[in-house]
C-alpha cells in the first residue's frame, strides 16, 4: 500500500506538471483539491484517465472522482479495492 | 429603440436538412438529425451519437464541381450554405457594393490534417491539404467560391460562439458604414479531433441529448454551416429588397471564470444579454422566444438557466434549445440558431425542446416541448463557448 | 465625431530580446537556420507556477507581453481583449492529434484539447485579469492581427470602449514547419540572418512571437502613436497594389511624400517578395524603406513585430541600421505606413502617426 501511495504521488506530479512540488510535500491525507494541493476540475479529468490507463479502472461519471480523489489515502484505497 | 440591420438572405446545411427549407420542415415535424456516426471511423462510434450531415464529401464536391478530395469538409459545407444565402438575397454581382465575408470556425481543416498527419511524410498525394489547417483557409475558399476579391474577409474563432460573433461583427461593420453588405456565419465539420476532445472532458452523451432535463447526460456533437446576408438600409432601399428580419441587438462578454466551464450563476451570460438589450434598445419583457444555447451538458444548462432567471427576473419567456435536433455544431451553432430564430419570426412558431421530460431540480424552468404557434416579434439567441466566451443576439421582425 | 485611437503601450516576446522594453534592437540575436524560437523571458516572474503548469507556449509568451503592455499603460483592467492568431496554441493541437493517432483514441487527456481552442490566449488573459468585457479572437492567416486592430479601432472610434488590449501571437511548431516545407512555404536550407532577405530561394524562415498593445481613445503618459487608418484585403491584383496604396493614402488626405517611411513584410521568399520590391522601385522609390522579418521570422502574426517596431521608432526617434532596406534616412518620423501580404494574399495597410 505504501508503495502504491508513493507511486501515486510521483504520477500526480508528473501527469499534472507540478514541477515545484516534491513527493515529500504531499502527505497521505492532504486534500488534493481546493486548499491542499490546489488541483481543479481539469486535473480531476486527468486523474480519471490515469486510473483507466494505469490501473484499468473506468469511471463513467466525473462526479464519482470527487470522493476518490480526496487524498492519496482515498485514491490508494479505491485502487486497491477496484484494480482490474 | 435602435434601428436593426437587415437580413436579406440565409443558407444552411445541417443534419436536419440540406437547405433552409428542409431544416424548417424537420424542426416543425420533430425530425431529429441525431444518429450513430457513419462517415468517421472512430473507436467511439458505439458510445456516442452525432448530428451528421448525410451527404459525403464526394457528393458535396460533385455538387460544387470540385475534384474529389480537394477541400476539407468545413469549406465544402460553408460554400453550400453561403451560396444558398447569396441566392436568396438575389445577389447576381457580389461586387456591386462594398461586400465583406466574416466566417467562424473552430476545426477548420482539421478533418484532413488528422487524416494525413503522418501520411504527409510518406507521400505527396495529399499535400493539397497541408495549408488547410489554417482556420482562415476555409474562409478563403468560401470567398473564392463566391467570387469575393479585394474585400474585407476575416475569420473569428471563439469556440462555440464563433459564428454568433461573426454576425455581431458584421452588424457592427454595417452600422459603422464600413461595409454595405456582409456575409456572416460559420462552418464546422465533425472530426476525430473534436470527438476525442469533448470525450476527454466527459461531456458527450451516449444517447440523444436532452437539453434542460434533470437527467441530461451531455451533448451530441454535430456539423453544420450557416450563413446570413446582412445589408445596409441604402442597399435594401436601392434594390427594393425583401427583408427577412433584422439583427437588432448583440452583446459579447467574458465569464472570466474557468477555461471550459461556465460560472455557476452565469455571470458572463447575464452580461452578454444585458449588452444585447442595450444595443437593441429594448426590455427583456419584449422577448417572445429564447433560442437557448442549451447544449445538454450538466454545467451549461444549469448556468444558462440561472442566467435566464436572473435577467428575466423570474419571468422567463418561452424557450427551447434546438440542439436536440442538430447536435452541438460548435462554431456554426450561433449562425444555425440565428437562422432558426429568423424562421421563428417568419412563421410565428416556437420549436420543441426534444427529449425533455423532467425539470431540473435547481429551478422550475420548463422549455417548450411541442411546436407552438404564437405571434413572434422578437427572438433572443444565446451562444457560449470555451474561454468564457458568451454571446447574445436579438432578432426582430421590424427594424 | 469619431474618436482618435492611440497606441498607449507595447509588449513583446519575440525571436529578438524585445521583452525588455528599455532596449531597442541593440543586441541582435543572429542565426543560421530555417526556424527560430523566441528568446524566453523568465516566465516565472510573470506567471504563478500553479497557473503555468498547463500553459501552452503561446499563452506563456502572451502572459508576459500582455502584462508588460498593461503595466506600461498603467492599467489593471480593460474594456475588451482582442487577439489575432493564425493557428492558436498549435503545439498542443498537434500533440493532441498525434496522441489520437498513436493511442488509437484511447487514454487522451483534456489539457491539450483545451489549449487547442484558438481563443485560449484571449480567454486565459481575461481569466487572469478578471476581465468580463468583450473578448474576440481572429484567425485569418496574415491578417489575424490586423483584424484585431480593426475591431479595436471600430469600438474606440465609436467610444464603445476606452481601453482595449490587442495582440497577436503564434507558436513555431515542428510538424507544421516540416509539412509546410514540403509545399515550399519554408526554406529548405539554413540561411544566415544577414542573407535571408536576399536569399533568392523559395519559402521563408519561420519564427514565432507574441505582441500586445493597449489601444485607447484617450492619450496617456506613455502614448506611442496614433492609429490613423487601416485596411485589409483578401486579394489584390498585383498590378493594382500601387494604386490601392495611393488610394488608401488619398482617402486619408495624404500623398506619398507625406509618408516618412514604409515598413514592408519582405521575408526573403523569391516567389512573393516581388510584391514589395516592385513597390520599392516604383511608388516607394523616394521613401525610406524598412524591413523586419529577417529579425522576427515569418509567422501569421509577424506584423505584430512590425507594429512594435513602428511604435518604438516613434517613441525613440531612432531607426536601427539593421531594419533599413534602402539608404534613405528617416529624421523625425511623423507618419509610418506598414504594408504586408503573405504568399500573395491577405494584404494589409496600417497607417500610424506621431502624436
Amino acid at each position: 500500500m505504501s508503495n502504491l501511495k508513493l507511486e501515486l504521488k510521483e504520477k500526480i506530479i508528473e501527469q499534472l506538471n507540478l514541477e515545484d512540488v516534491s513527493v515529500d510535500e504531499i502527505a497521505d491525507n492532504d486534500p488534493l483539491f481546493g486548499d491542499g494541493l490546489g488541483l481543479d476540475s481539469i486535473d480531476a479529468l486527468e486523474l480519471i484517465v490515469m486510473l483507466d490507463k494505469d490501473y484499468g479502472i473506468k469511471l463513467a461519471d466525473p462526479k464519482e472522482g470527487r470522493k476518490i480523489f480526496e487524498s492519496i489515502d482515498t485514491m490508494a484505497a479505491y485502487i486497491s479495492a477496484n484494480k482490474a | 429603440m435602435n434601428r436593426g440591420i437587415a437580413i436579406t438572405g440565409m443558407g444552411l446545411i445541417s443534419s436536419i436538412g440540406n437547405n433552409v427549407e428542409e431544416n424548417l420542415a424537420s424542426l416543425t415535424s420533430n425530425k431529429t438529425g441525431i444518429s450513430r456516426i457513419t462517415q468517421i471511423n472512430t473507436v467511439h462510434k458505439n458510445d456516442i451519437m452525432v448530428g451528421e450531415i448525410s451527404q459525403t464529401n464526394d457528393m458535396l464536391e460533385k455538387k460544387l464541381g470540385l475534384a474529389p478530395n480537394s477541400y476539407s469538409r468545413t469549406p465544402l459545407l460553408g460554400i453550400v450554405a453561403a451560396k444558398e444565402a447569396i441566392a436568396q438575397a438575389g445577389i447576381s454581382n457580389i461586387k456591386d457594393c462594398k461586400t465583406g465575408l466574416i466566417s467562424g470556425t473552430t476545426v477548420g481543416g482539421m478533418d484532413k490534417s488528422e487524416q494525413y498527419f503522418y501520411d504527409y511524410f510518406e507521400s505527396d498525394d495529399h499535400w493539397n491539404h497541408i495549408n488547410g489547417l489554417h482556420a482562415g483557409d476555409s474562409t478563403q475558399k468560401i470567398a473564392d467560391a463566391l467570387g469575393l476579391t479585394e474585400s474585407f474577409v476575416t475569420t473569428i474563432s471563439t469556440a462555440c460562439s464563433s459564428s454568433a460573433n461573426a454576425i455581431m461583427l458584421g452588424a457592427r461593420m454595417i452600422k459603422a458604414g464600413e461595409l454595405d453588405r456582409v456575409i456572416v456565419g460559420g462552418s464546422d465539420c465533425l472530426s476525430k479531433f473534436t470527438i476525442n476532445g469533448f470525450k476527454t472532458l466527459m461531456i458527450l452523451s451516449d444517447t440523444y441529448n436532452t437539453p434542460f432535463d434533470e437527467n441530461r447526460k451531455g451533448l451530441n456533437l454535430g456539423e453544420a454551416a450557416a450563413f446570413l446576408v446582412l445589408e445596409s438600409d441604402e442597399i435594401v432601399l436601392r434594390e427594393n429588397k425583401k427583408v427577412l428580419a433584422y439583427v437588432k441587438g448583440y452583446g459579447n462578454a467574458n465569464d472570466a471564470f474557468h477555461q471550459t466551464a461556465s460560472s455557476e450563476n452565469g455571470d458572463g451570460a447575464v452580461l452578454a444579454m444585458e449588452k444585447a438589450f442595450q444595443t437593441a434598445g429594448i426590455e427583456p419583457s419584449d422577448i417572445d422566444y429564447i433560442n437557448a444555447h442549451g447544449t445538454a451538458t450538466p454545467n451549461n444548462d444549469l448556468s444558462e438557466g440561472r442566467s435566464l432567471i436572473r435577467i428575466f427576473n423570474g419571468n422567463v419567456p418561452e424557450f427551447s434549445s434546438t440542439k436536440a435536433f442538430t447536435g452541438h455544431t460548435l462554431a456554426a451553432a450561433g449562425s444555425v440558431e440565428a437562422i432558426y430564430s429568423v424562421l421563428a419570426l417568419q412563421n410565428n412558431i416556437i420549436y420543441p425542446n426534444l427529449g425533455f421530460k423532467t425539470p431540473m431540480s435547481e429551478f422550475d424552468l420548463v422549455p417548450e416541448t411541442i411546436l407552438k404557434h404564437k405571434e413572434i416579434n422578437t427572438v433572443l439567441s444565446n451562444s457560449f463557448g470555451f474561454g468564457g466566451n458568451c454571446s447574445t443576439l436579438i432578432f426582430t421582425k421590424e427594424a | 465625431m469619431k474618436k482618435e485611437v492611440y497606441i498607449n503601450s507595447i509588449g513583446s516576446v519575440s525571436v529578438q530580446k524585445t521583452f525588455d522594453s528599455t532596449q531597442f534592437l541593440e543586441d541582435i540575436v543572429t542565426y543560421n537556420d530555417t526556424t527560430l524560437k523566441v528568446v524566453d523571458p523568465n516566465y516565472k516572474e510573470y506567471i504563478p507556477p500553479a497557473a503555468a503548469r498547463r500553459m501552452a507556449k503561446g499563452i506563456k509568451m502572451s502572459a508576459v507581453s500582455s502584462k508588460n503592455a498593461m503595466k506600461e499603460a498603467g492599467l489593471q483592467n480593460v474594456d475588451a481583449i482582442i487577439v489575432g492568431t493564425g493557428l492558436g496554441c498549435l503545439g498542443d493541437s498537434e500533440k493532441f492529434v498525434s496522441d489520437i493517432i498513436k493511442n488509437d483514441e484511447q487514454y487522451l487527456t483534456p489539457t491539450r484539447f483545451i489549449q487547442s481552442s484558438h481563443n485560449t490566449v484571449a480567454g486565459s488573459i481575461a481569466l487572469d485579469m478578471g476581465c468580463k468585457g468583450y473578448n474576440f479572437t481572429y484567425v485569418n492567416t496574415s491578417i489575424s492581427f490586423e483584424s484585431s486592430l480593426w475591431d479595436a479601432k471600430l469600438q474606440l472610434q465609436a467610444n464603445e470602449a476606452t481601453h482595449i488590449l490587442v495582440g497577436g501571437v503564434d507558436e513555431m511548431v515542428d510538424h507544421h514547419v516540416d509539412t509546410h516545407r514540403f509545399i515550399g512555404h519554408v526554406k529548405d536550407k539554413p540561411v544566415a540572418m544577414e542573407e535571408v532577405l536576399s536569399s533568392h530561394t523559395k519559402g521563408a524562415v519561420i519564427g514565432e512571437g507574441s505582441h500586445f498593445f493597449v489601444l485607447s481613445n484617450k492619450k496617456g503618459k506613455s502614448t506611442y502613436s496614433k492609429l490613423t487608418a487601416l485596411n485589409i484585403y483578401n486579394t489584390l491584383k498585383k498590378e493594382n497594389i500601387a494604386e490601392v496604396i495611393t488610394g488608401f493614402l488619398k482617402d486619408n488626405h495624404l500623398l506619398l511624400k507625406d509618408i516618412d517611411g514604409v515598413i514592408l513584410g519582405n521575408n526573403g521568399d523569391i516567389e512573393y517578395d516581388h510584391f514589395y520590391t516592385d513597390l520599392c522601385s516604383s511608388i516607394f522609390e523616394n521613401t525610406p524603406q524598412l524591413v523586419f522579418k529577417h529579425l522576427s521570422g515569418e509567422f501569421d502574426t509577424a506584423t505584430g513585430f512590425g507594429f512594435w517596431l513602428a511604435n518604438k521608432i516613434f517613441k525613440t526617434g531612432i531607426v536601427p541600421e539593421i531594419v533599413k532596406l534602402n539608404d534613405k534616412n528617416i529624421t523625425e518620423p511623423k507618419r509610418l505606413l506598414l504594408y504586408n501580404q503573405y504568399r500573395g494574399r491577405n494584404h494589409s495597410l496600417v497607417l500610424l502617426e506621431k502624436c
Side-chain angles (χ1 to χ4, degrees), chain C residues 150-278:
Chain C
W150 182 291
D151 189 348
K153 183 167 165 274
L154 209 58
Q155 295 188 45
L156 294 168
Q157 282 182 333
N159 207 21
E160 291 163 359
T162 309
H163 302 292
I164 301 183
L165 181 66
V166 180
V169 56
D170 274 293
E171 299 176 355
M172 196 278 290
V173 177
D174 289 343
H175 179 277
H176 193 74
V177 168
D178 293 343
T179 51
H180 281 76
R181 203 191 310 272
F182 293 151
I183 53 173
H185 294 200
V186 184
K187 289 209 181 293
D188 259 335
K189 292 195 184 79
V191 197
M193 188 194 76
E194 302 77 20
E195 284 150 25
V196 65
L197 295 185
S198 52
S199 58
H200 302 296
T201 52
K202 284 209 289 190
V205 171
I206 305 300
E208 58 180 3
S210 169
H211 295 85
F212 273 83
F213 308 88
V214 172
L215 271 60
S216 309
N217 57 18
K218 286 197 179 99
K219 222 171 151 177
K221 267 184 278 181
S222 56
T223 298
Y224 282 73
S225 68
K226 198 163 80 176
L227 176 62
T228 314
L230 165 70
N231 220 342
I232 57 180
Y233 315 85
N234 66 327
T235 66
L236 284 178
K237 285 200 192 90
K238 212 194 137 197
E239 59 271 24
N240 291 351
I241 293 176
E243 200 185 314
V244 167
I245 293 174
T246 49
F248 171 83
L249 293 174
K250 202 177 152 205
D251 289 345
N252 293 287
H253 316 291
L254 296 171
L255 296 168
L256 276 165
K257 66 172 174 52
D258 298 319
I259 301 302
D260 301 303
V262 60
I263 300 179
L264 299 162
N266 303 44
N267 63 10
D269 184 338
I270 192 168
E271 288 189 296
Y272 296 97
D273 266 4
H274 53 81
F275 277 92
Y276 306 108
T277 49
D278 287 4

Side-chain angles (χ1 to χ4, degrees), chain C residues 96-206:
Chain C
F96 193 69
V97 176
S98 68
D99 285 349
I100 289 175
I101 299 169
K102 283 184 193 151
N103 300 329
D104 195 24
E105 303 182 70
Q106 302 291 331
Y107 310 124
L108 298 163
T109 58
T111 301
R112 282 174 181 163
F113 177 66
I114 295 167
Q115 309 283 313
S116 297
S117 192
H118 287 91
N119 65 331
T120 191
V121 171
S124 124
I125 294 172
L127 192 57
D128 181 60
M129 204 188 278
C131 177
K132 290 182 189 274
Y134 181 96
N135 194 287
F136 260 45
T137 299
Y138 290 92
V139 294
N140 204 79
T141 66
S142 59
I143 54 142
S144 305
F145 173 64
E146 286 74 8
S147 297
S148 306
L149 284 178
W150 182 291
D151 189 348
K153 183 167 165 274
L154 209 58
Q155 295 188 45
L156 294 168
Q157 282 182 333
N159 207 21
E160 291 163 359
T162 309
H163 302 292
I164 301 183
L165 181 66
V166 180
V169 56
D170 274 293
E171 299 176 355
M172 196 278 290
V173 177
D174 289 343
H175 179 277
H176 193 74
V177 168
D178 293 343
T179 51
H180 281 76
R181 203 191 310 272
F182 293 151
I183 53 173
H185 294 200
V186 184
K187 289 209 181 293
D188 259 335
K189 292 195 184 79
V191 197
M193 188 194 76
E194 302 77 20
E195 284 150 25
V196 65
L197 295 185
S198 52
S199 58
H200 302 296
T201 52
K202 284 209 289 190
V205 171
I206 305 300

Side-chain angles (χ1 to χ4, degrees), chain B residues 237-367:
Chain B
L237 207 66
R238 188 183 81 187
E239 293 173 25
N240 197 16
K241 288 241 171 136
K242 184 179 175 218
V243 178
L244 311 174
Y246 293 85
V247 182
K248 184 80 169 173
Y250 39 79
N252 173 270
N254 198 283
D255 212 21
F257 168 75
H258 187 275
Q259 280 180 312
T260 60
S262 298
S263 64
E264 218 166 299
N265 294 312
D267 291 348
V270 168
L271 285 170
M273 286 188 272
E274 270 173 9
K275 283 188 189 177
F277 286 125
Q278 227 167 51
T279 50
I282 62 169
E283 298 296 320
S285 57
D286 293 323
I287 300 296
D288 300 310
Y289 165 56
I290 299 166
N291 186 296
H293 187 54
T295 58
T297 64
N299 172 250
N300 177 80
D301 294 5
L302 178 59
S303 175
E304 186 176 13
R306 283 187 170 144
S307 73
L308 292 176
I309 292 169
R310 282 172 67 189
I311 198 97
F312 289 97
N313 218 351
N315 298 314
V316 180
E318 283 108 323
F319 74 98
S320 64
S321 161
T322 45
K323 298 246 177 7
F325 283 97
T326 58
H328 188 359
T329 59
L330 305 181
S335 53
V336 167
E337 289 159 31
I339 291 177
Y340 292 170
S341 300
V342 174
L343 292 171
L345 290 166
Q346 289 182 311
N347 298 284
N348 295 302
I349 47 172
I350 291 173
Y351 312 112
N353 187 110
L354 299 182
F356 177 87
K357 286 195 186 73
T358 317
M360 288 162 63
S361 58
E362 291 88 351
F363 41 58
D364 58 0
L365 287 180
V366 176

